[in-house]
Amino acid sequence: TPNIILDFINAGGNILLTMSSTHAVPTSLVSVLAELDIALPVERTGKIVDHFNFDTISAAESHDVLVLDAPRNVRPGLKDYFEIPGALLAVSNAVGHTLGSGPLLTPILRAPPTAYSYNPKEQAETVDPDELFAAGKQLALVSTMQARNSARFTIIGSAEMLQDKTFDTKVSRK
């Protein structure tokens, strides 16, 4: 239940949550995220697409494998984990989320300005901007929340990002 997860965080436990647009996020996890001021699309499977920053090899038609520059440090003076200049990240089947204004929330990786989240099962090929969950930099792909007791809750919008084959895949940006 959401209360058990929140009690775990309050006891100092760390959680890593991964999601994928191929599977709906359980409502109990949506409730936990809401408690932490993190919002998901109503259908809990919103797909992120970008017609300008996609992998031309694996997603030439669907545009749902985002190709992003490696993120910069959130704060100056921190270790740079992406030390390779020009490194690219492939993000496939991502569920974007939006962050509230809580001071404990930090976006680690955001969607590009031209990306948007929509439900391919319910929305047509052309998407009405009024029906979008979020777009551009509103969409976080990886975020973290550090509680006042130093417990951490990290959310990764694409479980596929952690697969070995993703690290070995060659990507090409349009």
Side-chain angles (χ1 to χ4, degrees), residues 26-47:
T27 54
S28 59
L29 288 179
V30 173
S31 298
V32 170
L33 294 174
E35 288 289 326
L36 301 175
D37 207 12
I38 300 170
L40 292 178
V42 173
E43 69 278 356
R44 304 171 313 180
T45 59
K47 181 184 244 186

PDB file of all heavy atoms in Angstrom, residues 26-47:
ATOM      1  N   PRO A  26       0.961   0.898 -11.522  1.00  0.00           N
ATOM      2  CA  PRO A  26      -0.122   0.557 -10.587  1.00  0.00           C
ATOM      3  C   PRO A  26      -0.649   1.800  -9.855  1.00  0.00           C
ATOM      4  O   PRO A  26       0.119   2.716  -9.538  1.00  0.00           O
ATOM      5  CB  PRO A  26       0.537  -0.408  -9.604  1.00  0.00           C
ATOM      6  CG  PRO A  26       1.721  -0.945 -10.332  1.00  0.00           C
ATOM      7  CD  PRO A  26       2.183   0.141 -11.241  1.00  0.00           C
ATOM      8  N   THR A  27      -1.922   1.807  -9.576  1.00  0.00           N
ATOM      9  CA  THR A  27      -2.539   2.968  -8.927  1.00  0.00           C
ATOM     10  C   THR A  27      -1.943   3.228  -7.542  1.00  0.00           C
ATOM     11  O   THR A  27      -1.886   4.375  -7.109  1.00  0.00           O
ATOM     12  CB  THR A  27      -4.066   2.797  -8.814  1.00  0.00           C
ATOM     13  OG1 THR A  27      -4.348   1.562  -8.160  1.00  0.00           O
ATOM     14  CG2 THR A  27      -4.719   2.826 -10.167  1.00  0.00           C
ATOM     15  N   SER A  28      -1.495   2.192  -6.864  1.00  0.00           N
ATOM     16  CA  SER A  28      -0.883   2.412  -5.548  1.00  0.00           C
ATOM     17  C   SER A  28       0.404   3.232  -5.677  1.00  0.00           C
ATOM     18  O   SER A  28       0.678   4.098  -4.838  1.00  0.00           O
ATOM     19  CB  SER A  28      -0.604   1.088  -4.841  1.00  0.00           C
ATOM     20  OG  SER A  28       0.267   0.287  -5.612  1.00  0.00           O
ATOM     21  N   LEU A  29       1.182   2.993  -6.745  1.00  0.00           N
ATOM     22  CA  LEU A  29       2.397   3.787  -6.952  1.00  0.00           C
ATOM     23  C   LEU A  29       2.055   5.204  -7.381  1.00  0.00           C
ATOM     24  O   LEU A  29       2.754   6.155  -7.026  1.00  0.00           O
ATOM     25  CB  LEU A  29       3.309   3.118  -7.976  1.00  0.00           C
ATOM     26  CG  LEU A  29       4.016   1.859  -7.489  1.00  0.00           C
ATOM     27  CD1 LEU A  29       4.868   1.250  -8.583  1.00  0.00           C
ATOM     28  CD2 LEU A  29       4.863   2.145  -6.261  1.00  0.00           C
ATOM     29  N   VAL A  30       0.989   5.360  -8.157  1.00  0.00           N
ATOM     30  CA  VAL A  30       0.547   6.704  -8.540  1.00  0.00           C
ATOM     31  C   VAL A  30       0.179   7.490  -7.287  1.00  0.00           C
ATOM     32  O   VAL A  30       0.492   8.678  -7.172  1.00  0.00           O
ATOM     33  CB  VAL A  30      -0.637   6.632  -9.534  1.00  0.00           C
ATOM     34  CG1 VAL A  30      -1.210   8.017  -9.796  1.00  0.00           C
ATOM     35  CG2 VAL A  30      -0.199   5.986 -10.840  1.00  0.00           C
ATOM     36  N   SER A  31      -0.437   6.825  -6.315  1.00  0.00           N
ATOM     37  CA  SER A  31      -0.793   7.475  -5.049  1.00  0.00           C
ATOM     38  C   SER A  31       0.455   7.896  -4.277  1.00  0.00           C
ATOM     39  O   SER A  31       0.506   8.984  -3.705  1.00  0.00           O
ATOM     40  CB  SER A  31      -1.636   6.539  -4.186  1.00  0.00           C
ATOM     41  OG  SER A  31      -2.835   6.233  -4.819  1.00  0.00           O
ATOM     42  N   VAL A  32       1.465   7.036  -4.257  1.00  0.00           N
ATOM     43  CA  VAL A  32       2.721   7.376  -3.587  1.00  0.00           C
ATOM     44  C   VAL A  32       3.358   8.579  -4.263  1.00  0.00           C
ATOM     45  O   VAL A  32       3.797   9.524  -3.592  1.00  0.00           O
ATOM     46  CB  VAL A  32       3.705   6.180  -3.594  1.00  0.00           C
ATOM     47  CG1 VAL A  32       5.087   6.601  -3.115  1.00  0.00           C
ATOM     48  CG2 VAL A  32       3.173   5.045  -2.746  1.00  0.00           C
ATOM     49  N   LEU A  33       3.397   8.564  -5.581  1.00  0.00           N
ATOM     50  CA  LEU A  33       3.991   9.681  -6.321  1.00  0.00           C
ATOM     51  C   LEU A  33       3.234  10.972  -6.052  1.00  0.00           C
ATOM     52  O   LEU A  33       3.841  12.040  -5.907  1.00  0.00           O
ATOM     53  CB  LEU A  33       4.025   9.370  -7.818  1.00  0.00           C
ATOM     54  CG  LEU A  33       4.952   8.221  -8.222  1.00  0.00           C
ATOM     55  CD1 LEU A  33       4.802   7.909  -9.707  1.00  0.00           C
ATOM     56  CD2 LEU A  33       6.388   8.529  -7.882  1.00  0.00           C
ATOM     57  N   ALA A  34       1.913  10.899  -5.974  1.00  0.00           N
ATOM     58  CA  ALA A  34       1.117  12.087  -5.681  1.00  0.00           C
ATOM     59  C   ALA A  34       1.468  12.652  -4.305  1.00  0.00           C
ATOM     60  O   ALA A  34       1.537  13.869  -4.120  1.00  0.00           O
ATOM     61  CB  ALA A  34      -0.368  11.760  -5.774  1.00  0.00           C
ATOM     62  N   GLU A  35       1.719  11.760  -3.340  1.00  0.00           N
ATOM     63  CA  GLU A  35       2.122  12.208  -2.001  1.00  0.00           C
ATOM     64  C   GLU A  35       3.458  12.953  -2.041  1.00  0.00           C
ATOM     65  O   GLU A  35       3.715  13.826  -1.223  1.00  0.00           O
ATOM     66  CB  GLU A  35       2.236  11.024  -1.043  1.00  0.00           C
ATOM     67  CG  GLU A  35       0.911  10.425  -0.633  1.00  0.00           C
ATOM     68  CD  GLU A  35       0.121  11.322   0.296  1.00  0.00           C
ATOM     69  OE1 GLU A  35       0.732  12.037   1.115  1.00  0.00           O
ATOM     70  OE2 GLU A  35      -1.118  11.309   0.183  1.00  0.00           O
ATOM     71  N   LEU A  36       4.304  12.577  -2.993  1.00  0.00           N
ATOM     72  CA  LEU A  36       5.623  13.202  -3.125  1.00  0.00           C
ATOM     73  C   LEU A  36       5.604  14.393  -4.079  1.00  0.00           C
ATOM     74  O   LEU A  36       6.643  14.972  -4.375  1.00  0.00           O
ATOM     75  CB  LEU A  36       6.639  12.160  -3.613  1.00  0.00           C
ATOM     76  CG  LEU A  36       6.803  10.938  -2.724  1.00  0.00           C
ATOM     77  CD1 LEU A  36       7.745   9.932  -3.361  1.00  0.00           C
ATOM     78  CD2 LEU A  36       7.279  11.335  -1.339  1.00  0.00           C
ATOM     79  N   ASP A  37       4.419  14.755  -4.581  1.00  0.00           N
ATOM     80  CA  ASP A  37       4.216  15.884  -5.499  1.00  0.00           C
ATOM     81  C   ASP A  37       4.799  15.605  -6.889  1.00  0.00           C
ATOM     82  O   ASP A  37       5.352  16.482  -7.537  1.00  0.00           O
ATOM     83  CB  ASP A  37       4.801  17.168  -4.899  1.00  0.00           C
ATOM     84  CG  ASP A  37       4.097  18.416  -5.411  1.00  0.00           C
ATOM     85  OD1 ASP A  37       3.033  18.284  -6.046  1.00  0.00           O
ATOM     86  OD2 ASP A  37       4.619  19.528  -5.176  1.00  0.00           O
ATOM     87  N   ILE A  38       4.674  14.347  -7.322  1.00  0.00           N
ATOM     88  CA  ILE A  38       5.087  13.926  -8.650  1.00  0.00           C
ATOM     89  C   ILE A  38       3.836  13.432  -9.364  1.00  0.00           C
ATOM     90  O   ILE A  38       3.103  12.608  -8.833  1.00  0.00           O
ATOM     91  CB  ILE A  38       6.137  12.796  -8.585  1.00  0.00           C
ATOM     92  CG1 ILE A  38       7.385  13.274  -7.830  1.00  0.00           C
ATOM     93  CG2 ILE A  38       6.501  12.297  -9.975  1.00  0.00           C
ATOM     94  CD1 ILE A  38       8.372  12.176  -7.499  1.00  0.00           C
ATOM     95  N   ALA A  39       3.585  13.953 -10.559  1.00  0.00           N
ATOM     96  CA  ALA A  39       2.356  13.601 -11.288  1.00  0.00           C
ATOM     97  C   ALA A  39       2.675  12.783 -12.530  1.00  0.00           C
ATOM     98  O   ALA A  39       3.672  13.015 -13.217  1.00  0.00           O
ATOM     99  CB  ALA A  39       1.603  14.862 -11.686  1.00  0.00           C
ATOM    100  N   LEU A  40       1.800  11.822 -12.817  1.00  0.00           N
ATOM    101  CA  LEU A  40       1.870  10.987 -14.015  1.00  0.00           C
ATOM    102  C   LEU A  40       0.651  11.266 -14.877  1.00  0.00           C
ATOM    103  O   LEU A  40      -0.360  11.774 -14.387  1.00  0.00           O
ATOM    104  CB  LEU A  40       1.880   9.504 -13.640  1.00  0.00           C
ATOM    105  CG  LEU A  40       3.100   8.975 -12.917  1.00  0.00           C
ATOM    106  CD1 LEU A  40       2.913   7.503 -12.582  1.00  0.00           C
ATOM    107  CD2 LEU A  40       4.343   9.154 -13.749  1.00  0.00           C
ATOM    108  N   PRO A  41       0.716  10.881 -16.166  1.00  0.00           N
ATOM    109  CA  PRO A  41      -0.482  11.021 -17.003  1.00  0.00           C
ATOM    110  C   PRO A  41      -1.638  10.204 -16.412  1.00  0.00           C
ATOM    111  O   PRO A  41      -1.414   9.190 -15.745  1.00  0.00           O
ATOM    112  CB  PRO A  41      -0.053  10.445 -18.351  1.00  0.00           C
ATOM    113  CG  PRO A  41       1.428  10.457 -18.340  1.00  0.00           C
ATOM    114  CD  PRO A  41       1.850  10.345 -16.906  1.00  0.00           C
ATOM    115  N   VAL A  42      -2.852  10.637 -16.676  1.00  0.00           N
ATOM    116  CA  VAL A  42      -4.032   9.980 -16.127  1.00  0.00           C
ATOM    117  C   VAL A  42      -4.070   8.505 -16.497  1.00  0.00           C
ATOM    118  O   VAL A  42      -4.389   7.652 -15.673  1.00  0.00           O
ATOM    119  CB  VAL A  42      -5.312  10.700 -16.622  1.00  0.00           C
ATOM    120  CG1 VAL A  42      -6.556   9.952 -16.206  1.00  0.00           C
ATOM    121  CG2 VAL A  42      -5.340  12.120 -16.104  1.00  0.00           C
ATOM    122  N   GLU A  43      -3.705   8.169 -17.730  1.00  0.00           N
ATOM    123  CA  GLU A  43      -3.759   6.768 -18.172  1.00  0.00           C
ATOM    124  C   GLU A  43      -2.591   5.952 -17.651  1.00  0.00           C
ATOM    125  O   GLU A  43      -2.544   4.747 -17.845  1.00  0.00           O
ATOM    126  CB  GLU A  43      -3.837   6.685 -19.700  1.00  0.00           C
ATOM    127  CG  GLU A  43      -2.569   7.113 -20.419  1.00  0.00           C
ATOM    128  CD  GLU A  43      -2.431   8.617 -20.599  1.00  0.00           C
ATOM    129  OE1 GLU A  43      -3.344   9.366 -20.247  1.00  0.00           O
ATOM    130  OE2 GLU A  43      -1.377   9.038 -21.105  1.00  0.00           O
ATOM    131  N   ARG A  44      -1.624   6.577 -16.999  1.00  0.00           N
ATOM    132  CA  ARG A  44      -0.462   5.943 -16.365  1.00  0.00           C
ATOM    133  C   ARG A  44       0.460   5.228 -17.339  1.00  0.00           C
ATOM    134  O   ARG A  44       1.301   4.448 -16.931  1.00  0.00           O
ATOM    135  CB  ARG A  44      -0.912   4.972 -15.262  1.00  0.00           C
ATOM    136  CG  ARG A  44      -1.778   5.596 -14.219  1.00  0.00           C
ATOM    137  CD  ARG A  44      -2.354   4.577 -13.326  1.00  0.00           C
ATOM    138  NE  ARG A  44      -2.874   3.503 -14.171  1.00  0.00           N
ATOM    139  CZ  ARG A  44      -3.457   2.415 -13.753  1.00  0.00           C
ATOM    140  NH1 ARG A  44      -3.606   2.208 -12.516  1.00  0.00           N
ATOM    141  NH2 ARG A  44      -3.902   1.502 -14.572  1.00  0.00           N
ATOM    142  N   THR A  45       0.308   5.462 -18.647  1.00  0.00           N
ATOM    143  CA  THR A  45       1.195   4.846 -19.638  1.00  0.00           C
ATOM    144  C   THR A  45       1.567   5.830 -20.735  1.00  0.00           C
ATOM    145  O   THR A  45       1.916   5.428 -21.829  1.00  0.00           O
ATOM    146  CB  THR A  45       0.538   3.623 -20.303  1.00  0.00           C
ATOM    147  OG1 THR A  45      -0.663   4.052 -20.933  1.00  0.00           O
ATOM    148  CG2 THR A  45       0.268   2.521 -19.318  1.00  0.00           C
ATOM    149  N   GLY A  46       1.458   7.097 -20.487  1.00  0.00           N
ATOM    150  CA  GLY A  46       1.721   8.085 -21.533  1.00  0.00           C
ATOM    151  C   GLY A  46       3.064   7.874 -22.191  1.00  0.00           C
ATOM    152  O   GLY A  46       4.070   7.645 -21.532  1.00  0.00           O
ATOM    153  N   LYS A  47       3.076   7.925 -23.492  1.00  0.00           N
ATOM    154  CA  LYS A  47       4.293   7.709 -24.271  1.00  0.00           C
ATOM    155  C   LYS A  47       4.892   9.069 -24.637  1.00  0.00           C
ATOM    156  O   LYS A  47       4.172   9.992 -24.997  1.00  0.00           O
ATOM    157  CB  LYS A  47       3.920   6.940 -25.531  1.00  0.00           C
ATOM    158  CG  LYS A  47       5.079   6.623 -26.428  1.00  0.00           C
ATOM    159  CD  LYS A  47       4.572   5.957 -27.691  1.00  0.00           C
ATOM    160  CE  LYS A  47       5.097   4.564 -27.759  1.00  0.00           C
ATOM    161  NZ  LYS A  47       4.766   3.908 -29.016  1.00  0.00           N
TER     162      LYS A  47
END
